[in-house]
Amino acid sequence: MHFTPLFLGALAALAPAVQAVGNATVINNCPFPVYLTWVGQCQGPEVTLNAEGGRYIETFTRDPVSGGIALKITRVQGGVSQGAPQTIYAYNLNNGLIWYDLSEVFGSPFAPNALRLAPSDITCPTIFWPSGVSPGGSQVRNCQENSTVTLTLCA
Ligand SMILES: *[C@@H]1O[C@H](CO)[C@@H](O)[C@H](O)[C@H]1NC(C)=O
Ligand SMILES: *[C@@H]1O[C@H](CO)[C@@H](O)[C@H](O)[C@H]1NC(C)=O
């Protein structure tokens, strides 16, 4: 088979489309289990992260309807449907950037323990709540999409 320069050029043009995107990772360093629910346009099943090292990992995706994804974390099983205090790690994969955000609703489930949301690319901003309580205001940051962004509970 003969590869023309035009064909090779077309292959090179395709290469950026397969560039890897990073992961959304949650590490539970707390001495108690926590419960994580994935929410896009619909809600996924609740996942348990064991005490002292339980992990959740997913590759960043873009929801076709909501765009952004929320990982809602509670200390109570079934907490999202019960309206229990929730820490929310939200992300939005958009045009080569990963936008990430930490927020809470109905209280601060991890206080007084620290929470850290940190990209693997250390030149991008980290969100750190030293006593597990939102400082208020917008917490949205961004980084290049190939960075893995990790939420550490009881950091
Ligand atoms: C994302 O997680 C998967 C599964 O653990 C791993 O194989 C992959 O290397 C991770 N990707 C990055 C960019 O860290
Ligand atoms: C992410 O992409 C940037 C820019 O293209 C590159 O310099 C960096 O090495 C990549 N990092 C990883 C972890 O792939």
Side-chain angles (χ1 to χ4, degrees):
M1 191 167 174
H2 180 72
F3 294 99
T4 64
L6 184 62
F7 177 76
L8 294 174
L11 276 185
L14 285 175
V18 295
Q19 184 184 343
V21 298
N23 289 330
T25 304
V26 180
I27 299 175
N28 180 23
N29 282 340
C30 299
F32 45 80
V34 308
Y35 305 92
L36 181 151
T37 304
W38 185 98
V39 184
Q41 65 171 307
C42 38
Q43 187 169 313
E46 184 180 76
V47 176
T48 303
L49 278 67
N50 293 331
E52 311 285 3
R55 278 169 189 247
Y56 174 85
I57 299 177
E58 70 175 38
T59 300
F60 291 130
T61 58
R62 191 168 166 79
D63 187 280
V65 174
S66 63
I69 305 291
L71 304 176
K72 300 187 173 186
I73 303 162
T74 68
R75 289 184 57 175
V76 183
Q77 204 162 8
V80 169
S81 41
Q82 293 163 25
Q86 296 161 32
T87 294
I88 303 170
Y89 167 9
Y91 72 80
N92 198 329
L93 183 62
N94 204 356
N95 286 327
L97 293 177
I98 184 70
W99 296 78
Y100 49 96
D101 173 35
L102 194 61
S103 63
E104 62 185 17
V105 289
F106 311 130
S108 308
F110 294 96
N113 300 292
L115 301 174
R116 179 190 298 112
L117 185 56
S120 54
D121 180 343
I122 59 168
T123 64
C124 297
T126 288
I127 298 171
F128 183 58
W129 295 359
S131 55
V133 178
S134 170
S138 172
Q139 295 277 303
V140 183
R141 304 284 186 268
N142 71 60
C143 195
Q144 60 202 6
E145 67 182 1
N146 64 1
S147 189
T148 282
V149 181
T150 302
L151 173 62
T152 306
L153 307 168
C154 300

